[in-house]
Amino acid sequence: MNRIIRFAIILFFSGIIGGFFSIGNSVFVSLRYVTPMLIIALFSLSKMKTTISKSESQFIFFFGITFFVYPIIMILLNIYDKGQENIIINSLYYILTMVSCFFIANFYKSISRKEFFKDFGLVGFLFLAIGTLIFRDISLNIPTLINNMLSNVRTDRSYLGFTNPNQVAILAALVIMTIFLSGLNKTSKIFILIFSSIVLVNTGSRAPLVSFLLAALIIFFIQVLRKKVSTFNGILLKMLVIDILVCGFVYIIYNLIGTTVNSYYALDTFSTNRISRQVATISWLFGTSNLVFGLGMFNTSFFYSQPDFLFLHTDSYYTYIITTMGLIGLLLTLILIALAIRKAFAVESRTLLYIILFCVIYSFFEATLFFPTSILTVLLLVSCFLIDERKDSEYLIEK
């Protein structure tokens, strides 16, 4: 039974990733919707033990409130009067994905945490490798690619058979992260990490790199702040490290956006005009009655197919939540993020905290956080349910 469940989980990962792949798209989309129910059914038939902590039960409760109870209440009150069937189906899919991720986490608890990261990373690597072999959309001129990325040159980006290079970028980033955390042998791990890094640079996407860096800096900053020091030299060193981090961050921003009154426009250009698009969308909401409750918790396909919404730009997940679920939806989402972060501190896990921070930061650039069709969501939810024990090598506080 364990082998069957593991195979179903791998099919689930494949469906989530392959749903955006041009080859066999319809098959993978079908897997995306069928495999969660298959995983739940198989797990129910097995005699495998499930465990749930208090923090996990709180997270599940608020997840259900946010993505099921809240939109259903809005429909009953007729506040969401458009696409009601789509909202109901979308709400059910949120819950289905969350429950399946809970069972996936419990399955890997019985085996090994590293096996989850290995399976997840290898499935992602397989899609990147197939895309590279078939479409050959990869360049090894790394210096030029890095220069294009920093110069905001948006040409010659690798798609590898996916609908968007940003999808390739986040997949490559997650492969790097999960393979690094896996128990693969050293040779295989190094090869996949190098290959995925080359793919990531070829996409020209900077959001994963920024997310990697900021998440690492935040964790390092937390460790410096929480490290216990009692001597004068220790306190002095701690203050010096904090000063270097803060000054370094300010210096980078200073050089990126310039020093003129047009700094906002420079930063907006650096973000490929994402900032101005989000500001325009939120500004429009302030002039309507939809700011508090949103337009409706539609799935992305329905939302972007509506002529009335074509002028709205929701590249950022947080803008998307405000647009579709209003300020109340944003508040509920922030509570979910806070609960996840609280658990990372409760179990003192750098790994979990890094995954959460990466997902939260990346979602400022792309609307992916908690989306049931997003591979980022699967990694986040499974990790939150899977990592529930202290590991000496992962302590946030140096012992």
Side-chain angles (χ1 to χ4, degrees), residues 209-234:
L209 297 176
V210 172
S211 303
F212 272 139
L213 177 62
L214 287 181
L217 285 176
I218 291 172
I219 287 182
F220 181 72
F221 191 74
I222 291 172
Q223 287 184 295
V224 170
L225 287 176
R226 298 185 69 182
K227 185 176 180 179
K228 297 178 181 179
V229 291
S230 55
T231 64
F232 175 77
N233 289 338

PDB file of all heavy atoms in Angstrom, residues 209-234:
ATOM      1  N   LEU A 209      15.375  34.697  -7.149  1.00  0.00           N
ATOM      2  CA  LEU A 209      16.684  35.051  -6.594  1.00  0.00           C
ATOM      3  C   LEU A 209      16.540  36.053  -5.452  1.00  0.00           C
ATOM      4  O   LEU A 209      17.196  35.923  -4.405  1.00  0.00           O
ATOM      5  CB  LEU A 209      17.581  35.629  -7.694  1.00  0.00           C
ATOM      6  CG  LEU A 209      17.918  34.683  -8.852  1.00  0.00           C
ATOM      7  CD1 LEU A 209      18.733  35.412  -9.908  1.00  0.00           C
ATOM      8  CD2 LEU A 209      18.686  33.469  -8.343  1.00  0.00           C
ATOM      9  N   VAL A 210      15.674  37.052  -5.647  1.00  0.00           N
ATOM     10  CA  VAL A 210      15.418  38.034  -4.590  1.00  0.00           C
ATOM     11  C   VAL A 210      14.809  37.343  -3.366  1.00  0.00           C
ATOM     12  O   VAL A 210      15.175  37.633  -2.223  1.00  0.00           O
ATOM     13  CB  VAL A 210      14.487  39.152  -5.102  1.00  0.00           C
ATOM     14  CG1 VAL A 210      14.064  40.072  -3.962  1.00  0.00           C
ATOM     15  CG2 VAL A 210      15.177  39.961  -6.198  1.00  0.00           C
ATOM     16  N   SER A 211      13.894  36.407  -3.611  1.00  0.00           N
ATOM     17  CA  SER A 211      13.243  35.688  -2.513  1.00  0.00           C
ATOM     18  C   SER A 211      14.246  34.815  -1.751  1.00  0.00           C
ATOM     19  O   SER A 211      14.222  34.755  -0.520  1.00  0.00           O
ATOM     20  CB  SER A 211      12.097  34.822  -3.058  1.00  0.00           C
ATOM     21  OG  SER A 211      11.168  35.614  -3.764  1.00  0.00           O
ATOM     22  N   PHE A 212      15.119  34.134  -2.494  1.00  0.00           N
ATOM     23  CA  PHE A 212      16.183  33.345  -1.871  1.00  0.00           C
ATOM     24  C   PHE A 212      17.016  34.216  -0.937  1.00  0.00           C
ATOM     25  O   PHE A 212      17.265  33.862   0.223  1.00  0.00           O
ATOM     26  CB  PHE A 212      17.108  32.755  -2.946  1.00  0.00           C
ATOM     27  CG  PHE A 212      16.673  31.414  -3.476  1.00  0.00           C
ATOM     28  CD1 PHE A 212      16.772  31.140  -4.834  1.00  0.00           C
ATOM     29  CD2 PHE A 212      16.176  30.423  -2.647  1.00  0.00           C
ATOM     30  CE1 PHE A 212      16.385  29.919  -5.352  1.00  0.00           C
ATOM     31  CE2 PHE A 212      15.784  29.195  -3.145  1.00  0.00           C
ATOM     32  CZ  PHE A 212      15.884  28.941  -4.498  1.00  0.00           C
ATOM     33  N   LEU A 213      17.452  35.357  -1.462  1.00  0.00           N
ATOM     34  CA  LEU A 213      18.360  36.231  -0.722  1.00  0.00           C
ATOM     35  C   LEU A 213      17.688  36.836   0.501  1.00  0.00           C
ATOM     36  O   LEU A 213      18.243  36.810   1.616  1.00  0.00           O
ATOM     37  CB  LEU A 213      18.875  37.337  -1.647  1.00  0.00           C
ATOM     38  CG  LEU A 213      19.796  38.384  -1.005  1.00  0.00           C
ATOM     39  CD1 LEU A 213      21.060  37.720  -0.474  1.00  0.00           C
ATOM     40  CD2 LEU A 213      20.156  39.472  -2.015  1.00  0.00           C
ATOM     41  N   LEU A 214      16.489  37.402   0.322  1.00  0.00           N
ATOM     42  CA  LEU A 214      15.809  38.055   1.439  1.00  0.00           C
ATOM     43  C   LEU A 214      15.449  37.067   2.547  1.00  0.00           C
ATOM     44  O   LEU A 214      15.577  37.381   3.735  1.00  0.00           O
ATOM     45  CB  LEU A 214      14.551  38.771   0.941  1.00  0.00           C
ATOM     46  CG  LEU A 214      14.773  40.052   0.130  1.00  0.00           C
ATOM     47  CD1 LEU A 214      13.435  40.662  -0.280  1.00  0.00           C
ATOM     48  CD2 LEU A 214      15.578  41.068   0.932  1.00  0.00           C
ATOM     49  N   ALA A 215      14.984  35.868   2.174  1.00  0.00           N
ATOM     50  CA  ALA A 215      14.653  34.857   3.184  1.00  0.00           C
ATOM     51  C   ALA A 215      15.887  34.473   3.999  1.00  0.00           C
ATOM     52  O   ALA A 215      15.823  34.345   5.225  1.00  0.00           O
ATOM     53  CB  ALA A 215      14.058  33.619   2.513  1.00  0.00           C
ATOM     54  N   ALA A 216      17.030  34.317   3.310  1.00  0.00           N
ATOM     55  CA  ALA A 216      18.274  33.970   4.000  1.00  0.00           C
ATOM     56  C   ALA A 216      18.723  35.100   4.928  1.00  0.00           C
ATOM     57  O   ALA A 216      19.149  34.859   6.064  1.00  0.00           O
ATOM     58  CB  ALA A 216      19.365  33.656   2.978  1.00  0.00           C
ATOM     59  N   LEU A 217      18.606  36.350   4.452  1.00  0.00           N
ATOM     60  CA  LEU A 217      19.016  37.495   5.273  1.00  0.00           C
ATOM     61  C   LEU A 217      18.137  37.639   6.513  1.00  0.00           C
ATOM     62  O   LEU A 217      18.629  37.952   7.606  1.00  0.00           O
ATOM     63  CB  LEU A 217      18.960  38.776   4.440  1.00  0.00           C
ATOM     64  CG  LEU A 217      20.082  38.975   3.410  1.00  0.00           C
ATOM     65  CD1 LEU A 217      19.832  40.234   2.591  1.00  0.00           C
ATOM     66  CD2 LEU A 217      21.441  39.057   4.111  1.00  0.00           C
ATOM     67  N   ILE A 218      16.834  37.415   6.337  1.00  0.00           N
ATOM     68  CA  ILE A 218      15.921  37.531   7.482  1.00  0.00           C
ATOM     69  C   ILE A 218      16.250  36.479   8.538  1.00  0.00           C
ATOM     70  O   ILE A 218      16.292  36.780   9.743  1.00  0.00           O
ATOM     71  CB  ILE A 218      14.457  37.390   7.017  1.00  0.00           C
ATOM     72  CG1 ILE A 218      14.047  38.613   6.186  1.00  0.00           C
ATOM     73  CG2 ILE A 218      13.513  37.238   8.215  1.00  0.00           C
ATOM     74  CD1 ILE A 218      12.689  38.478   5.517  1.00  0.00           C
ATOM     75  N   ILE A 219      16.497  35.245   8.109  1.00  0.00           N
ATOM     76  CA  ILE A 219      16.822  34.183   9.063  1.00  0.00           C
ATOM     77  C   ILE A 219      18.153  34.471   9.759  1.00  0.00           C
ATOM     78  O   ILE A 219      18.285  34.290  10.974  1.00  0.00           O
ATOM     79  CB  ILE A 219      16.849  32.814   8.353  1.00  0.00           C
ATOM     80  CG1 ILE A 219      15.428  32.384   8.019  1.00  0.00           C
ATOM     81  CG2 ILE A 219      17.527  31.753   9.235  1.00  0.00           C
ATOM     82  CD1 ILE A 219      15.317  31.040   7.361  1.00  0.00           C
ATOM     83  N   PHE A 220      19.129  34.933   8.988  1.00  0.00           N
ATOM     84  CA  PHE A 220      20.421  35.268   9.593  1.00  0.00           C
ATOM     85  C   PHE A 220      20.256  36.398  10.601  1.00  0.00           C
ATOM     86  O   PHE A 220      20.833  36.379  11.692  1.00  0.00           O
ATOM     87  CB  PHE A 220      21.414  35.666   8.496  1.00  0.00           C
ATOM     88  CG  PHE A 220      22.786  35.997   9.019  1.00  0.00           C
ATOM     89  CD1 PHE A 220      23.619  34.994   9.493  1.00  0.00           C
ATOM     90  CD2 PHE A 220      23.237  37.309   9.048  1.00  0.00           C
ATOM     91  CE1 PHE A 220      24.873  35.286   9.989  1.00  0.00           C
ATOM     92  CE2 PHE A 220      24.493  37.622   9.538  1.00  0.00           C
ATOM     93  CZ  PHE A 220      25.319  36.604  10.008  1.00  0.00           C
ATOM     94  N   PHE A 221      19.444  37.397  10.254  1.00  0.00           N
ATOM     95  CA  PHE A 221      19.185  38.524  11.138  1.00  0.00           C
ATOM     96  C   PHE A 221      18.504  38.052  12.429  1.00  0.00           C
ATOM     97  O   PHE A 221      18.852  38.503  13.529  1.00  0.00           O
ATOM     98  CB  PHE A 221      18.304  39.542  10.414  1.00  0.00           C
ATOM     99  CG  PHE A 221      18.175  40.863  11.118  1.00  0.00           C
ATOM    100  CD1 PHE A 221      19.223  41.761  11.122  1.00  0.00           C
ATOM    101  CD2 PHE A 221      17.012  41.206  11.773  1.00  0.00           C
ATOM    102  CE1 PHE A 221      19.112  42.978  11.775  1.00  0.00           C
ATOM    103  CE2 PHE A 221      16.877  42.416  12.419  1.00  0.00           C
ATOM    104  CZ  PHE A 221      17.942  43.310  12.419  1.00  0.00           C
ATOM    105  N   ILE A 222      17.550  37.136  12.298  1.00  0.00           N
ATOM    106  CA  ILE A 222      16.865  36.585  13.473  1.00  0.00           C
ATOM    107  C   ILE A 222      17.847  35.837  14.372  1.00  0.00           C
ATOM    108  O   ILE A 222      17.819  35.973  15.604  1.00  0.00           O
ATOM    109  CB  ILE A 222      15.723  35.648  13.039  1.00  0.00           C
ATOM    110  CG1 ILE A 222      14.590  36.448  12.391  1.00  0.00           C
ATOM    111  CG2 ILE A 222      15.177  34.853  14.233  1.00  0.00           C
ATOM    112  CD1 ILE A 222      13.512  35.594  11.762  1.00  0.00           C
ATOM    113  N   GLN A 223      18.727  35.051  13.757  1.00  0.00           N
ATOM    114  CA  GLN A 223      19.699  34.293  14.545  1.00  0.00           C
ATOM    115  C   GLN A 223      20.655  35.213  15.289  1.00  0.00           C
ATOM    116  O   GLN A 223      21.013  34.945  16.429  1.00  0.00           O
ATOM    117  CB  GLN A 223      20.479  33.345  13.634  1.00  0.00           C
ATOM    118  CG  GLN A 223      19.665  32.156  13.159  1.00  0.00           C
ATOM    119  CD  GLN A 223      20.499  31.188  12.341  1.00  0.00           C
ATOM    120  OE1 GLN A 223      20.970  31.515  11.259  1.00  0.00           O
ATOM    121  NE2 GLN A 223      20.686  30.004  12.859  1.00  0.00           N
ATOM    122  N   VAL A 224      21.051  36.294  14.618  1.00  0.00           N
ATOM    123  CA  VAL A 224      21.946  37.251  15.273  1.00  0.00           C
ATOM    124  C   VAL A 224      21.244  37.903  16.458  1.00  0.00           C
ATOM    125  O   VAL A 224      21.809  38.047  17.545  1.00  0.00           O
ATOM    126  CB  VAL A 224      22.419  38.328  14.270  1.00  0.00           C
ATOM    127  CG1 VAL A 224      23.152  39.460  14.992  1.00  0.00           C
ATOM    128  CG2 VAL A 224      23.334  37.712  13.223  1.00  0.00           C
ATOM    129  N   LEU A 225      19.974  38.286  16.272  1.00  0.00           N
ATOM    130  CA  LEU A 225      19.223  38.936  17.341  1.00  0.00           C
ATOM    131  C   LEU A 225      18.971  38.005  18.522  1.00  0.00           C
ATOM    132  O   LEU A 225      18.998  38.429  19.686  1.00  0.00           O
ATOM    133  CB  LEU A 225      17.881  39.444  16.804  1.00  0.00           C
ATOM    134  CG  LEU A 225      17.915  40.678  15.898  1.00  0.00           C
ATOM    135  CD1 LEU A 225      16.521  40.984  15.380  1.00  0.00           C
ATOM    136  CD2 LEU A 225      18.476  41.882  16.643  1.00  0.00           C
ATOM    137  N   ARG A 226      18.742  36.717  18.233  1.00  0.00           N
ATOM    138  CA  ARG A 226      18.358  35.779  19.289  1.00  0.00           C
ATOM    139  C   ARG A 226      19.546  35.050  19.912  1.00  0.00           C
ATOM    140  O   ARG A 226      19.386  34.338  20.889  1.00  0.00           O
ATOM    141  CB  ARG A 226      17.370  34.755  18.732  1.00  0.00           C
ATOM    142  CG  ARG A 226      16.074  35.370  18.226  1.00  0.00           C
ATOM    143  CD  ARG A 226      15.094  34.313  17.792  1.00  0.00           C
ATOM    144  NE  ARG A 226      14.583  33.560  18.918  1.00  0.00           N
ATOM    145  CZ  ARG A 226      13.736  32.543  18.819  1.00  0.00           C
ATOM    146  NH1 ARG A 226      13.322  32.163  17.632  1.00  0.00           N
ATOM    147  NH2 ARG A 226      13.316  31.902  19.886  1.00  0.00           N
ATOM    148  N   LYS A 227      20.725  35.234  19.320  1.00  0.00           N
ATOM    149  CA  LYS A 227      21.899  34.563  19.877  1.00  0.00           C
ATOM    150  C   LYS A 227      22.234  35.144  21.243  1.00  0.00           C
ATOM    151  O   LYS A 227      22.313  36.364  21.429  1.00  0.00           O
ATOM    152  CB  LYS A 227      23.095  34.727  18.935  1.00  0.00           C
ATOM    153  CG  LYS A 227      24.324  33.947  19.386  1.00  0.00           C
ATOM    154  CD  LYS A 227      25.442  34.060  18.364  1.00  0.00           C
ATOM    155  CE  LYS A 227      26.670  33.265  18.824  1.00  0.00           C
ATOM    156  NZ  LYS A 227      27.773  33.345  17.841  1.00  0.00           N
ATOM    157  N   LYS A 228      22.418  34.272  22.198  1.00  0.00           N
ATOM    158  CA  LYS A 228      22.681  34.702  23.569  1.00  0.00           C
ATOM    159  C   LYS A 228      24.146  35.104  23.723  1.00  0.00           C
ATOM    160  O   LYS A 228      25.055  34.314  23.480  1.00  0.00           O
ATOM    161  CB  LYS A 228      22.348  33.574  24.548  1.00  0.00           C
ATOM    162  CG  LYS A 228      20.874  33.181  24.542  1.00  0.00           C
ATOM    163  CD  LYS A 228      20.602  32.024  25.485  1.00  0.00           C
ATOM    164  CE  LYS A 228      19.129  31.627  25.450  1.00  0.00           C
ATOM    165  NZ  LYS A 228      18.836  30.477  26.341  1.00  0.00           N
ATOM    166  N   VAL A 229      24.358  36.366  24.103  1.00  0.00           N
ATOM    167  CA  VAL A 229      25.712  36.852  24.363  1.00  0.00           C
ATOM    168  C   VAL A 229      25.719  37.538  25.724  1.00  0.00           C
ATOM    169  O   VAL A 229      24.753  38.181  26.118  1.00  0.00           O
ATOM    170  CB  VAL A 229      26.183  37.829  23.270  1.00  0.00           C
ATOM    171  CG1 VAL A 229      26.385  37.103  21.962  1.00  0.00           C
ATOM    172  CG2 VAL A 229      25.184  38.972  23.079  1.00  0.00           C
ATOM    173  N   SER A 230      26.811  37.394  26.437  1.00  0.00           N
ATOM    174  CA  SER A 230      26.886  37.980  27.779  1.00  0.00           C
ATOM    175  C   SER A 230      28.089  38.895  27.953  1.00  0.00           C
ATOM    176  O   SER A 230      28.113  39.749  28.829  1.00  0.00           O
ATOM    177  CB  SER A 230      26.941  36.863  28.837  1.00  0.00           C
ATOM    178  OG  SER A 230      28.012  35.978  28.562  1.00  0.00           O
ATOM    179  N   THR A 231      29.100  38.734  27.089  1.00  0.00           N
ATOM    180  CA  THR A 231      30.299  39.552  27.219  1.00  0.00           C
ATOM    181  C   THR A 231      30.156  40.843  26.424  1.00  0.00           C
ATOM    182  O   THR A 231      29.357  40.945  25.493  1.00  0.00           O
ATOM    183  CB  THR A 231      31.529  38.788  26.715  1.00  0.00           C
ATOM    184  OG1 THR A 231      31.386  38.528  25.313  1.00  0.00           O
ATOM    185  CG2 THR A 231      31.678  37.462  27.445  1.00  0.00           C
ATOM    186  N   PHE A 232      30.976  41.831  26.798  1.00  0.00           N
ATOM    187  CA  PHE A 232      30.949  43.123  26.101  1.00  0.00           C
ATOM    188  C   PHE A 232      31.349  42.953  24.641  1.00  0.00           C
ATOM    189  O   PHE A 232      30.740  43.540  23.745  1.00  0.00           O
ATOM    190  CB  PHE A 232      31.885  44.110  26.796  1.00  0.00           C
ATOM    191  CG  PHE A 232      32.013  45.425  26.077  1.00  0.00           C
ATOM    192  CD1 PHE A 232      31.006  46.380  26.165  1.00  0.00           C
ATOM    193  CD2 PHE A 232      33.130  45.702  25.295  1.00  0.00           C
ATOM    194  CE1 PHE A 232      31.113  47.588  25.493  1.00  0.00           C
ATOM    195  CE2 PHE A 232      33.236  46.905  24.619  1.00  0.00           C
ATOM    196  CZ  PHE A 232      32.233  47.851  24.727  1.00  0.00           C
ATOM    197  N   ASN A 233      32.392  42.142  24.390  1.00  0.00           N
ATOM    198  CA  ASN A 233      32.849  41.914  23.018  1.00  0.00           C
ATOM    199  C   ASN A 233      31.769  41.233  22.181  1.00  0.00           C
ATOM    200  O   ASN A 233      31.594  41.523  21.000  1.00  0.00           O
ATOM    201  CB  ASN A 233      34.119  41.057  23.017  1.00  0.00           C
ATOM    202  CG  ASN A 233      35.317  41.818  23.541  1.00  0.00           C
ATOM    203  OD1 ASN A 233      35.329  43.055  23.528  1.00  0.00           O
ATOM    204  ND2 ASN A 233      36.337  41.108  24.011  1.00  0.00           N
ATOM    205  N   GLY A 234      31.026  40.309  22.818  1.00  0.00           N
ATOM    206  CA  GLY A 234      29.946  39.623  22.108  1.00  0.00           C
ATOM    207  C   GLY A 234      28.835  40.581  21.716  1.00  0.00           C
ATOM    208  O   GLY A 234      28.308  40.521  20.598  1.00  0.00           O
TER     209      GLY A 234
END
